[in-house]
């Protein structure tokens, strides 16, 4: 492939000129599936990825849930980690400088237990060098609403997201759960609250039982289903939101493993594609998608990955 | 570089940095049944060159709807011979992944990531080391024994299992140690009972100065307690369900007292070898560590 | 296994003595996955199954959606059949007599386009000999509510189910979709409307795109995801509803293929278990579960399958 | 009876009624590469005894996350020989299932359901039959040709494909017919072009009284139109995506004019052989048949 005809992988994830987000390629990591970045940087230079979305950070450090924390299911896995993380302050002190120094485009994922916590979290990360965007993980329980996750309700979505957008100078993505009756309505609520875009989808709520012992296979009883099993749900959710809000940037994710999977999510409406569980099976998964995408495009005569966005004829 | 390496490509195909773990598509050089176990010898020169005892590799498996790799301790490496650089792993068939791997034979291709995790720290001064293994937990200890002997330490082995055929490679064990002792729960081989029944005697008689252990968590907790009583340094190789094996998913955690406080450390990254006295044995798989109310359905 | 010690497979699916539903074993067919019954009866006597749940019937015959109507996904499949069926009257005339004559316990599945249609359908099947129960498939679009499925909303659930329970003398099960924010709330609405029990879960809404052509892989664009991939979602939904409504009979389904899968759904709270996609892979799937369950129970010392219901320690 | 038949059990294991389709766990007797295709000979006496030309079998496949069977036409049966009762199927590798099957060899075990569907109806009076096949669509026609000849009908074959190596088993074809003609789109074998380019001539010169066709839907539609023009009876074996192959999932439908009106009939149950003039060719894969507004997302 001659240099001139190498397809253009650049994507823009913000329609707001005041808060731009340009990535050299559409492949990013899914939150909670890439730890601090150092772990995979042992294998390759993670600076080549479109961006790194870090594990969701909470205000206080969290030890998370007891083991067992995962179980493999048919073409998928359930996890119940319980948002184990060092807390936002420790991350800012120990991890962000390393990422920034290496030139990694970093998207910080924030998870609050209350609406007010989202604001505090957004304030803590505000102005920190090297943060390209915020992903507000609102698919986590709202302790003020009987543990119902924020993104389960339009109002809670609006409340949490507006706390973040109010204090942030960088683009804000609302990470939504697919476990809702109408995901496009939740996405619209996030947009009303000033979100730059949405991240679709978080894991599906699931459960598995050890029939020999009668005990749940997860310490946390229920957990989040990810991996190839859920890709059809991700494609549908992305398509649904993209059809309702065609201009809204979407970071798509859910079961992506191969270059055609990436293309499928982009055709459904994603501007960028995050990879989670696939990295567990192959530490090079994200890099190989960055490398494989140009060939796929070139072989089919596409000049830019942007041509494919929302291109499904439906 | 191809996104789907494997068949057709020259093996081993290796990808990674100058040091640290790599991913290799490797040929199986030999398959051997050893008692209840299956041993694969895999041509993986980069991994063989970088491995230390106590580290593990993560193997891709096929079949059914499996998507994750399976972790296995390295039980030995060979840098020499016509095939430069092989590693050995030992499998106990417990599910679809191990069944698939046990079905591999010479010339088949396997996809390996490794070496992974923290290995056993070796004594700085010449020392008498007691290595305590349960079931296939003996596997990494044979590799450790070879290295300890090579460096001039005294090695005594104590291997236990449910039955005799689950005592891994007794013959190899005898070759690599000053003394060996076996226990089986059914008494079919060695002393009837558990390793902890005979550990105190052996530790005394050999004059053990350090204990290394690998096996089921219950056994490790018991060995750790005995080591503590005798004020012997003890390094254990722990086992937890692993999602990724490379430190990114946080599923394999073990409650641990770190210098800076209590933490859930990753068996695949900070471990699998951990300092026994820092492991919070009583908190494993309980909410005792959570430090905050555990929300059900808090999926990630 | 001696005859005396053969575990008891009988289950009761109704707490209402006026409308009992006793099955000789808990294995039933999932609606839309067993056609008229004749097709599988070519392989074995379907009278040995706990019950046969027939394809959802509508008032008028329906030709359904254009092909392609299915696509295999990772450990699952998407289908978009469009409720093709001969219409309730033709079924009553041509298919029910055959089932009744063979002594098959038949659960008739009804699907309306409007609330009123559910009543008409229930009236048509009322008093027909051989109908053991009704499954009201309310996971289908309500044309009076912009095509939103009935079971997406508590009110529509109540409206549709009460039309059926009002005129029925047999037990009524509400078949619910997992694509909702709070499935226990929907189940509660069904109970308020007089439902005897609920059937959980219908397929998840999903989509797949042919990246070479840019076209959806289904003629109906989106479709329903079934098969082993969704079992963790089914277990979670059943557990959630059983915890909220412990006395409510549940017909569980979603990705069941093996005897341990059956046990898993029962431990989560199902009283009976329906098998859909597994029959596509093996026409004997249901029969082999009926045959395999007693051995599984006996080997573990269980005397009745009823001991396992809701037995998960969570 | 075991719930997981297969390896270890004597093959063929068969389950089913006295007549109709069965499920058999069968041994592969032979594997053969024929041009671009792979042919498996499978020991399945019950299926061989019950099959008629035009029927198909449904094979379980392994690997990846596949869960459904794959349908294949029966291309021949043998009731004799040391292995009583074998069937032949021909595979074109197009995806994971066909790739797995093409990897089977002698003594491997496959899981077969069949015979399924409606076969070709045979002429009641001695007749001259033109059999038109596209690609692997030739497979069931060879089986039909043998049976037609056996019953004293005249058989002429017309097989087409993209390339010569995709003309299935030309040699066998020549043996079983009064005349044979081949077309390839690239001209690498036989006449350059499509079967429909030469069909009118052949039909005239042979005096064809009936047409049997199997191949891609586009070819079948074109053949059906030519048959209609000539007022020749025409039976086609259609192909649609199949979920179950046994008539219960309703995914494989073809729009069809039945005596009692328009219907979507199942290719696996009412078909795969259908009367060409009743198929509503122009409505395949369109909403033209729907007769009511099609609701998006009306999943089942
Ligand atoms: C550091 C380490 C070293 C190990 N070394 C060996 C060894 O030398 N020999 C050996 O036979 N086994 C070893 N194991 C255990 C081995 O990894 C599991 O038996 C194996 O993964 C089971 O896979 P399966 O598909 O056969 O079983 P399944 O139980 O079906 O596996 C399902 C899932 O659970 C995971 N899993 C199941 N059991 C374990 C386990 N004990 N530890 C971690 N993950 C598990 C699998 O990786 C898979 O994701 C080791 C485990 C760890 C963590
Ligand atoms: C009645 C009938 C007879 C057939 N006879 C033959 C034959 O003799 N030789 C041959 O090579 N092929 C035949 N086919 C096509 C064959 O079934 C498909 O090529 C095969 O199922 C593809 O499986 P895959 O996993 O390799 O591909 P994939 O495309 O990955 O299959 C994915 C899914 O789609 C289904 N599928 C894909 N293509 C087809 C298709 N054309 N028809 C039906 N289902 C499909 C598969 O069954 C599977 O469920 C026949 C199909 C039918 C309906
Ligand atoms: C082990 C694990 C941990 C996760 N942790 C988080 C998290 O902290 N925050 C978040 O927003 N999503 C989290 N997710 C969800 C992923 O980011 C992603 O949305 C989901 O897994 C679907 O993508 P995949 O199928 O590629 O994994 C986690 C997923 C997994 C598997
Ligand atoms: C091809 C197909 C058709 C279906 N048709 C119906 C239907 O008509 N009515 C209904 O209530 N559910 C229908 N379902 C849903 C099933 O009854 C069942 O709820 C779902 O498939 C999950 O079970 P499974 O994974 O065992 O298939 C259909 C499912 C499939 C796969
Ligand atoms: S297994 Fe993923 S962090 Fe250890
Ligand atoms: S393939 Fe299921 S009905 Fe034909």
């Amino acid at each position: 492939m001659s240099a001139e005809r190498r397809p253009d992988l650049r994507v823009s994830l913000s329609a707001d000129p005041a808060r731009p987000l340009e990535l050299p390629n559409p492949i990013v990591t899914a939150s909670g599936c890439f730890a601090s970045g150092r772990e995979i940087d042992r294998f390759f230079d993670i600076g080549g990825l479109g961006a790194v979305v870090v594990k969701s950070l909470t205000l206080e450090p969290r030890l998370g849930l007891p083991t067992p924390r995962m179980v493999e299911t048919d073409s998928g896995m359930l996890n119940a980690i319980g948002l184990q993380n060092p807390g936002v302050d420790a991350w800012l002190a120990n991890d962000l400088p390393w990422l920034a120094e290496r030139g990694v485009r970093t998207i910080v994922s924030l998870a609050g237990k209350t609406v007010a916590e989202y604001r505090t979290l957004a304030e803590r990360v505000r102005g920190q060098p090297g943060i390209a965007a915020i992903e507000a993980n609102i698919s986590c329980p709202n302790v003020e609403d009987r543990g119902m996750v924020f993104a389960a309700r339009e109002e809670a979505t609006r409340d949490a997201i507006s706390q973040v957008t109010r204090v942030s100078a960088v683009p804000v993505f609302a990470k939504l759960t697919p476990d809702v009756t109408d995901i496009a309505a939740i996405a619209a609520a996030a947009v009303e609250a000033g979100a730059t875009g949405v991240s679709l989808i978080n894991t599906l709520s699931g459960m598995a039982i050890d029939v020999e012992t009668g005990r749940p296979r997860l310490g946390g009883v229920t957990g989040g289903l990810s991996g190839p099993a859920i890709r059809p749900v991700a494609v549908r959710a992305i398509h649904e939101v993209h059809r309702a809000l065609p201009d809204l940037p979407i970071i798509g994710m859910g079961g992506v493993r191969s270059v055609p999977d990436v293309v499928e999510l982009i055709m459904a409406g994603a501007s960028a594609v995050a990879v989670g569980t696939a990295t567990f099976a192959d530490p090079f998964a994200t890099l190989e998608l960055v490398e494989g995408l140009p060939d796929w495009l070139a072989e089919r005569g596409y000049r830019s990955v942007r041509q494919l966005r929302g291109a499904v004829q439906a | 570089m191809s996104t789907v390496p494997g068949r057709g490509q020259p093996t081993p195909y290796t990808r990674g940095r100058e040091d640290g773990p790599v991913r290799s598509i490797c040929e199986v050089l030999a398959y051997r049944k050893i008692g209840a176990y299956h041993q694969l010898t895999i041509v993986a020169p980069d991994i063989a060159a970088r491995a230390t005892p106590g580290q593990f590799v993560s193997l891709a498996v096929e079949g059914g709807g499996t998507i994750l790799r399976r972790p296995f301790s390295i039980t030995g490496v060979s840098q020499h011979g016509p095939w430069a650089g092989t590693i050995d792993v030992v499998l106990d068939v417990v599910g679809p992944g191990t069944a698939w791997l046990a079905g591999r034979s010479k010339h088949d291709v396997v996809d390996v990531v490794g070496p992974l995790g923290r290995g056993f720290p070796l004594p700085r001064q010449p020392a008498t080391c007691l290595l305590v293994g349960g079931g296939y937990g003996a596997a990494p200890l044979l590799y450790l024994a070879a290295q300890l002997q090579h460096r001039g330490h005294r090695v005594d082995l104590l291997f236990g299992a449910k039955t005799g055929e689950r005592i891994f490679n007794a013959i190899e064990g005898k070759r690599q140690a000053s003394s060996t002792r076996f226990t089986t729960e059914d008494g079919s081989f060695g002393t009837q009972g558990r390793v902890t029944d005979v550990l105190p005697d052996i530790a005394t008689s050999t004059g053990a100065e350090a204990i290394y252990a690998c096996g089921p968590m219950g056994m490790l907790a018991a060995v750790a307690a005995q080591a503590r009583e005798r004020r012997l340094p003890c390094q254990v190789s722990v086992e937890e369900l692993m999602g990724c094996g490379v430190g990114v998913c946080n599923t394999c955690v073990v409650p641990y007292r770190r210098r800076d406080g209590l933490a859930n450390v990753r068996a695949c990254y900070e471990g699998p070898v951990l300092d026994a006295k820092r492991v919070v044995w009583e908190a494993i798989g309980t909410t005792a560590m959570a430090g905050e109310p555990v929300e059900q359905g808090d999926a990630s």
Side-chain angles (χ1 to χ4, degrees), chain A residues 73-75 78 148 152 179-182 204-216 221-222 225 228-233 235-236 239-240 257 260 263-264 267-268 296 300 302 311-314:
Chain A
T73 63
D74 291 276
S75 296
L78 285 168
M148 180 65 90
D179 295 327
V180 293
T181 309
D182 185 355
L204 275 71
S205 178
M207 178 175 174
I209 298 170
D210 181 336
V211 293
E212 300 298 341
T213 64
R215 278 202 295 271
V221 182
T222 60
L225 185 64
I230 71 166
R231 203 173 66 251
V233 176
V235 173
R236 189 264 307 162
H239 175 67
E240 219 165 276
R257 198 159 47 168
V263 174
E264 188 179 22
M267 283 184 161
W296 193 97
R300 287 153 186 84
Y302 294 106
V312 64
Q313 295 148 42

Side-chain angles (χ1 to χ4, degrees), chain B residues 16-296:
Chain B
R17 294 188 182 261
E18 296 285 298
D19 52 22
V22 299
R23 177 182 176 216
S24 281
I25 313 295
C26 307
E27 193 169 330
V28 173
L29 181 62
Y31 164 89
R32 198 151 68 102
K33 185 99 205 278
I34 302 182
Y37 305 107
H38 309 259
Q39 178 167 311
L40 292 180
T41 302
I42 299 167
V43 183
D46 297 284
I47 298 175
R50 298 170 192 206
T52 64
Q55 288 192 300
F56 66 96
V57 292
S58 194
L59 303 183
V61 299
E62 289 179 20
T66 58
I67 56 165
L68 301 172
R69 285 173 186 269
R70 279 26 182 182
F72 299 92
S73 301
I74 300 170
T75 186
V77 308
S78 148
Q79 314 283 6
H80 318 290
W83 291 87
T86 61
I87 59 169
D88 289 337
V89 295
V90 172
L91 316 165
D92 186 17
V93 172
V94 299
T98 44
W100 184 84
L101 287 167
R104 297 308 91 197
S105 45
K106 201 172 153 87
H107 300 316
D108 278 347
V109 163
V110 288
D111 176 345
V112 190
V113 169
L116 294 167
R118 173 188 180 254
F120 290 106
L122 304 186
R124 299 220 187 86
Q125 307 294 330
T128 297
C129 305
L130 176 57
L131 278 51
V132 186
Y136 59 73
L141 298 180
L142 289 178
Y143 181 16
L144 174 65
Q147 193 152 123
L148 285 170
Q149 281 207 322
H150 182 74
R151 304 217 176 171
H153 305 284
R154 177 188 158 117
V155 174
D156 300 284
L157 295 182
L158 167 56
F159 289 172
K162 284 228 170 72
T163 64
E165 58 159 24
R166 306 190 75 78
I167 295 282
F168 176 66
N169 216 346
I171 298 159
E172 184 67 18
K174 288 189 177 146
R175 222 188 298 149
Q176 301 200 342
S178 301
S179 79
T180 52
R181 184 79 173 270
F182 303 106
T183 63
T184 53
E185 289 181 30
D186 68 353
S188 60
F189 189 73
T191 312
Q192 177 160 15
R194 302 179 162 209
V195 288
T196 41
D197 297 337
V198 299
L199 192 153
D201 280 359
I202 297 174
T204 306
S205 66
T206 61
E209 294 164 290
I211 294 181
Y212 294 94
C214 182
M217 288 301 246
M219 182 201 100
L220 296 183
V223 171
Q226 294 184 333
R228 192 179 191 91
E229 246 169 54
R230 312 187 145 251
R231 295 170 193 274
L232 289 178
C234 177
Q235 294 282 333
V236 293
S237 176
V238 299
E239 198 177 304
E240 250 302 343
L241 284 186
M242 289 188 173
C244 71
V246 297
V248 295
C249 74
N250 254 334
T251 68
C252 62
V253 297
V254 176
Y256 202 65
R257 286 181 205 91
R258 269 220 290 238
R259 265 160 264 271
D260 55 353
L262 227 53
N264 271 323
V265 301
R266 292 161 290 186
C268 72
Y269 197 75
E270 285 88 3
V273 176
L274 295 171
D275 183 346
K277 70 173 182 301
R278 295 182 180 274
V279 174
V280 190
W281 298 101
E282 62 283 7
I284 291 171
T286 74
T287 55
M289 278 288 285
E292 63 226 310
V294 170
E295 294 119 15
Q296 251 199 26

Side-chain angles (χ1 to χ4, degrees), chain A residues 124-163:
Chain A
R124 296 281 168 93
V125 303
R126 188 191 166 107
Q128 295 284 345
I131 294 183
I134 290 173
E135 185 173 85
N137 175 5
I138 54 170
S139 321
C140 47
N142 178 350
V143 298
E144 294 166 326
D145 185 17
R146 299 170 299 129
M148 180 65 90
V149 305
F150 292 93
R153 304 200 196 278
E154 291 167 48
E155 204 186 313
T157 298
R158 236 176 335 246
D159 290 350
I161 295 301
S162 61
Q163 295 300 319

Side-chain angles (χ1 to χ4, degrees), chain A:
Chain A
M1 194 166 31
S2 71
E4 302 92 314
R5 304 182 65 216
R6 197 174 167 78
D8 184 357
L9 295 190
R10 288 172 304 158
V11 293
S12 166
L13 279 168
S14 170
D16 178 356
R19 307 182 192 194
L21 182 58
E22 315 284 331
L23 305 182
N25 68 67
I27 307 299
V28 308
T29 67
S31 177
C33 304
F34 215 67
S36 74
R38 289 186 185 88
E39 293 81 359
I40 298 295
D41 198 71
R42 292 179 301 162
F43 292 94
F44 63 87
D45 178 0
I46 64 170
L49 301 178
V52 164
V53 182
V54 302
K55 173 83 191 164
S56 293
L57 298 166
T58 53
L59 212 45
E60 312 291 337
R62 287 178 64 139
L63 290 164
L65 286 163
T67 55
R69 287 180 167 190
M70 80 110 196
V71 48
E72 196 181 35
T73 63
D74 291 276
S75 296
M77 66 174 275
L78 285 168
N79 86 81
I81 309 296
L83 288 179
Q84 176 177 346
N85 79 94
V88 65
D89 294 331
W91 181 82
L92 287 171
N94 304 326
D95 295 320
L96 180 59
W98 182 86
L99 290 163
E101 190 191 300
R102 299 188 64 87
V104 175
R105 286 156 297 280
T106 301
I107 298 180
V108 63
S109 171
L110 303 176
K113 285 202 296 286
T114 62
V115 167
E117 271 192 19
Y118 280 98
R119 179 171 192 141
T120 317
L121 284 161
E123 280 165 351
R124 296 281 168 93
V125 303
R126 188 191 166 107
Q128 295 284 345
I131 294 183
I134 290 173
E135 185 173 85
N137 175 5
I138 54 170
S139 321
C140 47
N142 178 350
V143 298
E144 294 166 326
D145 185 17
R146 299 170 299 129
M148 180 65 90
V149 305
F150 292 93
R153 304 200 196 278
E154 291 167 48
E155 204 186 313
T157 298
R158 236 176 335 246
D159 290 350
I161 295 301
S162 61
Q163 295 300 319
V164 181
T165 55
R166 203 166 294 166
V167 300
S168 298
V170 294
V172 175
F173 285 78
K175 172 107 178 236
L176 305 185
T177 169
D179 295 327
V180 293
T181 309
D182 185 355
I183 197 162
I186 305 288
V191 172
E192 280 170 44
T196 314
V198 290
S199 297
L200 305 172
I201 57 175
N202 214 313
T203 53
L204 275 71
S205 178
M207 178 175 174
I209 298 170
D210 181 336
V211 293
E212 300 298 341
T213 64
R215 278 202 295 271
R217 286 189 185 271
L218 293 173
V221 182
T222 60
L225 185 64
S226 65
I230 71 166
R231 203 173 66 251
V233 176
V235 173
R236 189 264 307 162
I238 293 164
H239 175 67
E240 219 165 276
V241 171
H242 181 60
R243 216 176 28 173
L245 304 158
D247 298 327
L248 187 67
I250 296 173
I251 303 178
M253 69 205 75
V256 169
R257 198 159 47 168
S258 68
V259 170
D261 297 347
V262 169
V263 174
E264 188 179 22
L265 267 62
I266 292 175
M267 283 184 161
S271 294
V273 172
V275 178
T277 306
T279 290
F280 304 168
D282 177 3
F284 292 97
T286 44
L287 178 62
E288 291 192 342
L289 294 175
V290 173
E291 292 171 346
L293 188 55
D295 290 351
W296 193 97
L297 295 169
E299 280 160 21
R300 287 153 186 84
Y302 294 106
R303 266 169 309 168
S304 160
V305 68
R306 297 186 298 277
Q307 287 176 265
L308 296 177
R309 187 187 179 206
V312 64
Q313 295 148 42

